[in-house]
Amino acid sequence: MVFEKVKESAKRGLEQGRSRIEETRAVRQRNRLLQELGEAYYAEHSGKAAPEAVAGKLEALNEHERSQRELQASRVERGRRARDIMHPGAECIGEHENITSAARKMRELNVGSLPVCGAEDRLHGIVTDRDIIVKSIADGRDPNEVKVRDLAQGSVVWVDGDAGLDEVLRRMEDHQIKRLPVIENHRLVGMISEQDLARNLDEHRLAEFVEKVYATP
């Protein structure tokens, strides 16, 4: 985990360096376009150039500024961390509770899965409505007797609160999951859902996410 944090920190440093270089180039490009626009205006008023020349230079400047606004929006998006986009205070189901309680909580919250927590909000797994049906009800087991911990088995996919948005998307897409627990200091601090992503991604990237998560094998 320490290695992953060092790697993430180095990646952010590299991105920041590249961003500064790009910003310097953008400023120089804008200054050049402004100079060319001024020269075109002077040439038009001197009768040495047609109005179309000014219009062309003005369009080039407007296009440059539009592309810079889009680039800045993209940088803001990439700069967001898991803790920035999650909804905090995720509802847990205790590992010792039965699956009847889990099903009721899912109904109350209108969700299809719940994080399973032990002492001090330590994440122990995820239980889904499908787990309850396939691993309990379909086998004829009494839902009042089956403990949530019995269904929350296997490795849990989660993300650190400091993880970048790209890492969040990669984990959700690779594992084709729609809800991702966020952990800080070994405690569950929030969840990231499709709704959270919809508020923080542009339409193109959100469409990519949906396509990958809902893709059939």
Side-chain angles (χ1 to χ4, degrees):
M1 193 65 196
V2 174
F3 173 75
E4 289 296 328
K5 287 190 174 182
V6 172
K7 183 179 178 181
E8 184 69 20
S9 178
K11 182 180 178 181
R12 287 200 300 271
L14 181 61
E15 290 175 350
Q16 289 172 355
R18 288 174 176 170
S19 178
R20 291 192 186 98
I21 293 174
E22 291 173 358
E23 288 172 1
T24 300
R25 289 174 176 169
V27 169
R28 290 175 178 173
Q29 175 72 355
R30 184 175 185 275
N31 289 340
R32 184 181 64 80
L33 291 171
L34 283 171
Q35 181 180 351
E36 291 178 355
L37 178 60
E39 292 172 350
Y41 269 122
Y42 179 78
E44 181 188 4
H45 288 293
S46 301
K48 298 178 181 179
E52 289 77 9
V54 175
K57 297 299 181 182
L58 185 59
E59 177 61 27
L61 179 61
N62 289 337
E63 176 62 23
H64 171 76
E65 293 183 340
R66 183 192 62 78
S67 65
Q68 288 304 304
R69 287 194 297 269
E70 291 179 353
L71 181 59
Q72 181 60 29
S74 177
R75 285 173 183 159
V76 170
E77 179 181 293
R78 293 199 305 268
R80 293 192 179 104
R81 303 291 154 193
R83 70 170 66 89
D84 300 325
I85 66 175
M86 71 181 189
H87 54 274
E91 290 278 354
C92 282
I93 186 74
E95 62 176 340
H96 299 295
E97 295 188 55
N98 60 43
I99 61 173
T100 298
S101 298
R104 286 172 179 165
K105 181 166 285 192
M106 288 182 190
R107 182 182 62 187
E108 292 169 1
L109 299 174
N110 192 29
V111 297
S113 64
L114 286 171
V116 179
C117 295
E120 300 180 350
D121 290 334
R122 297 294 180 100
L123 183 66
H124 286 199
I126 298 286
V127 64
T128 68
D129 49 7
R130 188 177 186 278
D131 292 331
I132 293 175
I133 294 172
V134 174
K135 298 179 181 178
S136 177
I137 305 300
D139 288 339
R141 303 168 70 184
D142 185 349
N144 294 312
E145 297 297 327
V146 180
K147 303 299 182 184
V148 172
R149 66 184 178 190
D150 297 331
L151 302 186
Q153 300 175 354
S155 60
V156 183
V157 180
W158 55 275
V159 71
D160 187 88
D162 197 43
L165 184 54
D166 287 343
E167 176 67 12
V168 169
L169 293 170
R170 184 184 67 80
R171 295 201 181 190
M172 296 180 78
E173 290 169 352
D174 287 352
H175 296 276
Q176 291 188 305
I177 55 177
K178 306 172 187 67
R179 289 166 61 84
L180 182 67
V182 181
I183 304 294
E184 286 189 344
N185 298 321
H186 307 290
R187 296 179 63 251
L188 178 70
V189 295
M191 294 285 287
I192 296 174
S193 67
E194 290 178 280
Q195 289 77 16
D196 298 316
L197 293 179
R199 289 192 295 269
N200 289 276
L201 296 176
D202 61 40
E203 293 183 2
H204 175 71
R205 190 63 187 87
L206 183 62
E208 283 187 353
F209 168 80
V210 171
E211 181 180 358
K212 291 178 180 179
V213 168
Y214 286 90
T216 55

